[in-house]
Amino acid sequence: MSVLKSKKTTTLAAGLAVGAAFAVPLAAGLSTPAYAHPGHSHEAVTIRLDPLKGSNASGTAVLTPTADGGLKVQINDHGMTPGMPHAQHIHGDLSGKHFTCPGPDADSNNNGYISVEEGLPMYGGIHISLTTKGDTSPKSGLAVDRMPVADAQGNLRYTRTLTAAELPAGTLEHLSMLHIVQHGVDANGNDKYDMDGLGESSFAKSLGVSGIPEEATDGATCGMPVPTGVNTGGEAGVGVEHQGLLAFGGLLLAGAGTTVALGRRASRSANRQS
Ligand SMILES: [Cu+2]
């Protein structure tokens, strides 16, 4: 948390910019890794990232256990908000709870999108923050300055190999229980997260932070692992702190008072093919 607090402005601004983009189904060119290296019992799992209600983004993620106990994460999205950072996490926990990606009916306030409040009960808290560098704990949930940024066409490519030390105990054995969720939507199509889109983030506000666009925190895509023949032990119950929500809130709080300096970009008029 301290790290985040030290860079309030950057973090929040970026955090708000968490956009989500996913537009193309499995495609994008992610080659499905073969199996884990010889001698390792875990195999790669492919995750199709589907758009959450209101989002046009989609993609594919591949999680490949490495020979030394790490996990290579590859994500390829289309339809993301161009030029904007997209917060992304592996959600859920290893307690054996059954988490799912929230469907349209999870939009309890019927505003057309899945807010954090509406999504967390279904996809669980943050297990791992898929940052581009540095800390990957739930604390970095909204460290947007370290989250991947979509290119001018709205494509987002992410590759990072998490070391064994960066993986909460039991992660590799329970990959099928986890989800990948990417956040941030651009409801009014102006290439940024602003109050004109969906108003102020009720989640942030509930934590005492005002001025954060709802667009920045709403979910864009979600996907569940599809085991490809993994031989998991099936022993659930590995204790992992379920602190995603708190971390998320803490991050937002860390940015309180920060000017929402979301990227000013020219409008991406021609970019909404999907
Ligand atoms: Cu998330």
Side-chain angles (χ1 to χ4, degrees):
M1 212 58 102
S2 56
V3 173
L4 290 167
K5 286 182 176 176
S6 68
K7 30 178 86 169
K8 294 180 180 179
T9 304
T10 308
T11 300
L12 221 219
L16 297 183
V18 174
F22 316 33
V24 173
L26 318 166
L30 269 185
S31 56
T32 301
Y35 302 114
H37 299 275
H40 203 286
S41 62
H42 309 299
E43 297 180 355
V45 296
T46 296
I47 299 174
R48 188 184 70 204
L49 299 171
D50 293 320
L52 286 175
K53 185 177 183 181
S55 170
N56 291 316
S58 64
T60 302
V62 177
L63 305 179
T64 309
T66 63
D68 56 359
L71 182 67
K72 181 177 183 180
V73 180
Q74 295 169 283
I75 296 177
N76 196 334
D77 296 302
H78 290 262
M80 302 294 264
T81 303
M84 298 297 273
H86 296 265
Q88 52 180 25
H89 322 100
I90 290 180
H91 279 262
D93 64 33
L94 313 180
S95 68
K97 292 177 185 173
H98 179 61
F99 291 109
T100 63
C101 283
D105 55 354
D107 177 23
S108 59
N109 67 355
N110 287 304
N111 75 337
Y113 294 85
I114 305 300
S115 68
V116 173
E117 302 97 310
E118 294 167 335
L120 273 178
M122 303 195 74
Y123 52 62
I126 297 174
H127 183 65
I128 294 172
S129 294
L130 296 174
T131 56
T132 55
K133 61 182 179 181
D135 180 64
T136 56
S137 75
K139 296 177 182 176
S140 294
L142 272 189
V144 225
D145 55 323
R146 289 185 289 114
M147 286 297 178
V149 178
D151 66 17
Q153 284 69 52
N155 298 312
L156 182 154
R157 285 181 172 65
Y158 171 83
T159 298
R160 180 171 180 176
T161 297
L162 303 173
T163 64
E166 292 172 325
L167 299 176
T171 295
L172 296 182
E173 292 76 8
H174 302 84
L175 286 182
S176 64
M177 292 181 171
L178 304 169
H179 298 59
I180 284 182
V181 179
Q182 292 178 296
H183 302 264
V185 297
D186 182 16
N188 54 347
N190 61 355
D191 291 351
K192 62 181 179 181
Y193 307 120
D194 59 356
M195 298 297 190
D196 292 335
L198 295 171
E200 182 175 13
S201 173
S202 55
F203 176 67
K205 196 168 185 178
S206 72
L207 296 174
V209 184
S210 299
I212 295 179
E214 181 72 30
E215 290 185 327
T217 54
D218 281 359
T221 69
C222 181
M224 297 180 275
V226 177
T228 55
V230 187
N231 175 28
T232 60
E235 72 180 284
V238 177
V240 171
E241 289 185 70
H242 193 83
Q243 55 184 336
L245 179 55
L246 287 175
F248 196 57
L251 286 168
L252 286 171
L253 285 169
T258 299
T259 299
V260 179
L262 298 178
R264 3 183 179 108
R265 316 178 56 267
S267 56
R268 120 193 86 146
S269 47
N271 246 318
R272 293 216 157 236
Q273 74 266 54
S274 62

